[in-house]
Amino acid sequence: MSLFDDDQPKKKTAHEIGSDLSQLSVDELTARIALLTEEIARLEAERARKSASRSAAESLFR
């Protein structure tokens, strides 16, 4: 960790759960939906990977 980390601009979150959506355009909403859809796919892939790993481990102890 650097002494100058506080000087770096904070990366703006692309979407915050529960945020006010009323000020967003249709294009901005579409972009957020695409972003969240990609994130859901990433989460599901990781869950599947971990489930497969767990199943393989459990099969060794049967």
Side-chain angles (χ1 to χ4, degrees):
M1 184 181 276
S2 171
L3 294 174
F4 303 105
D5 286 344
D6 292 338
D7 295 339
Q8 299 297 320
K10 300 286 183 195
K11 183 177 179 183
K12 184 176 180 185
T13 304
H15 182 76
E16 185 177 324
I17 303 298
S19 63
D20 180 20
L21 304 176
S22 65
Q23 300 298 313
L24 299 177
S25 69
V26 171
D27 289 340
E28 290 170 321
L29 290 168
T30 300
R32 287 189 185 203
I33 290 168
L35 174 73
L36 292 169
T37 300
E38 290 173 12
E39 183 64 6
I40 289 168
R42 189 177 78 89
L43 289 165
E44 288 175 338
E46 182 65 15
R47 179 178 61 183
R49 186 187 70 76
K50 288 187 177 200
S51 291
S53 178
R54 181 178 182 174
S55 294
E58 287 176 347
S59 71
L60 291 175
F61 295 104
R62 288 186 193 167

